[in-house]
Amino acid sequence: MSARYPFELNEIKAALHQGAIQDIFIDSMTPLGVEVERSTRPTSIELSKDESELTDPTSHPVCVTLQKLGKSEDESREEIIHAKFVVGGDGARSWTRKQLDITMDGEQSNSTWGVVDLTADTDFPDVRNKTFIHSNHGSVIFVPREKDRIRIYVQLEANDVIDPVSGRVDKEKIGPEQILKTAQKALEPYKVIRKSEFLWWTIYSVGQRVASQFSIKNRVFIAGDACHTHSPKAGQGMNASINDSRNLAWKISLVVRGWADMSLLSTYESERRKFALDLIAFDKMWAALVCGKPLTVPSSNGVSPDHFLKTFQTDFTTGVEIHYQPSVAVNDRNQELAVGLVLGKRVPPHKLMRAADACPFELQDLLPSDCLFKLLVFTGDFSDPLQQARVESMVTDMQKPESFLNRYATPENPRFDVITISKGQKYEFGFLRLPTLLRSHWSKVFIDDTDATGSFGGGGYLYLHYLYYGVGSEGALVAVRPDGYVGAIAPLDRVEVLDAYFASFMKIAA
Ligand SMILES: Cc1cc2nc3c(=O)[nH]c(=O)nc-3n(C[C@H](O)[C@H](O)[C@H](O)COP(=O)(O)OP(=O)(O)OC[C@H]3O[C@@H](n4cnc5c(N)ncnc54)[C@H](O)[C@@H]3O)c2cc1C
């Protein structure tokens, strides 16, 4: 698999629980002066119907009333906010979605699961591995957790847990003891004996649904579980939700800063709704495999472990395969110039050799979501006079007033970050020979060589990065979006391809 971290477990060999991931976000927001206000809920949301207001990016057409709950009724207060944009990340039963009359398309899955977190005495040998067990008494999933904890998912009989009147899970009907008992039966002859109190438990039956719209007028958006619900068995829900927000955040940010046109916002729904539909299709296939019977002689149509593993170990579950279709934010030309940098896909991880100090450096670390577009300039071999002339001519084109670098950015308001990847060997390559536009800082120039130990880069095989990215000796220009996805590719002598790409959604810098 091509993910940068091709494993599910962290260094203490446990899946990091969601609360810990939320804490990482909250801790990184605090120094920026951003905080989560708890005990606050919206009571009304109104979107202006005035077209001129809706299309004016400086207007505040959304009015939200918030109720801030205090310890007593007297301490509670109301706050009215006039917003440019509102994002409802309020979960599967999203209030925002209901207020906007956005429907969820799809159906309720017919499988119901119980989950318990506990520490246990067990002779089950794979207890510290993520394990899927198919048994004639239902399926069980083991997930190793921090310290000695384990999480056990158990397939339940819907009749035992669903209230026939409401059609919803009734937690009065079954508790953690029964969930564990069901797991114990499925795991026989192995024993799983509870050592601690149940640390957490739940029962769920999930709908496999996608919202019919992800936004109203590109002013109010929904993200995360508010737009898509599916089973948690492939561990995709939070990942998908974070990626919705990542996709939307830079677009709203560019519009609010006055850098981009409002039309860019439409690509949030086109990109993320298509992904959500693919996710539901994957989830249906995966859930059917998880709930299947084991492959045995009497049940020859059961699920084979090989087929099961292959289905899970795809780049779809790592997120690497997410592929956005052509739009204003994804060009569809010149793919052949950099076949390893797929238009509409995330730049894959790869270590490069930094030219100035011969240090290996991960390219993805140079692509933070900081609202800047990254321009990867593959210069080819700059010591070849013909290629040098080509690169210098490209730099001249980029310095023209009509070039995207000057139309959509100013020295005070940079919107692009140039990263240069040259061909050359560390003992010979002098990065100061490159035109200054291609070396804004010594840390931004890379060469196609191995490090001193040969520990990466193919043991001295020159031009490996060019091979990895599928870039030929003539080089290429690659525009990477602020979310790390490839937006456009151009030959060095056709800077106007990038001019046209940015002209389709960027605003001229004041
Ligand atoms: C048992 C289980 C295991 C899972 N395991 C994984 C996994 O391994 N990997 C993975 O990626 N995903 C997993 N998921 C899915 C993941 O938990 C969700 O997809 C994710 O939490 C969705 O994030 P969200 O921010 O969209 O919604 P939520 O996490 O539901 O957050 C919504 C927030 O909005 C708040 N809210 C809702 N309504 C209002 C209101 N009216 N006013 C104010 N606040 C409101 C809620 O209090 C909540 O804080 C699992 C889910 C379950 C049930």
Side-chain angles (χ1 to χ4, degrees), residues 41-63:
R41 64 170 187 223
T43 52
S44 76
I45 180 165
E46 264 176 64
L47 179 61
S48 166
K49 293 191 172 52
D50 180 342
E51 266 313 304
S52 62
E53 220 186 326
L54 289 170
T55 50
D56 172 4
T58 62
S59 73
H60 295 75
V62 203
C63 177

Side-chain angles (χ1 to χ4, degrees), residues 210-240:
V210 177
S212 52
Q213 283 171 271
F214 282 21
S215 131
I216 300 288
K217 303 274 184 195
N218 285 332
R219 287 296 193 163
V220 187
F221 300 86
I222 48 173
D225 276 12
C227 328
H228 36 71
T229 59
H230 49 88
S231 75
K233 293 176 204 69
Q236 296 296 303
M238 182 182 62
N239 286 290

Side-chain angles (χ1 to χ4, degrees), residues 355-384:
D357 59 358
C359 258
F361 205 86
E362 170 55 53
L363 178 59
Q364 284 192 344
D365 287 342
L366 285 171
L367 310 174
S369 297
D370 56 3
C371 287
L372 299 184
F373 287 86
K374 316 297 179 305
L375 191 64
L376 307 184
V377 182
F378 289 86
T379 62
D381 183 354
F382 198 68
S383 65
D384 167 3

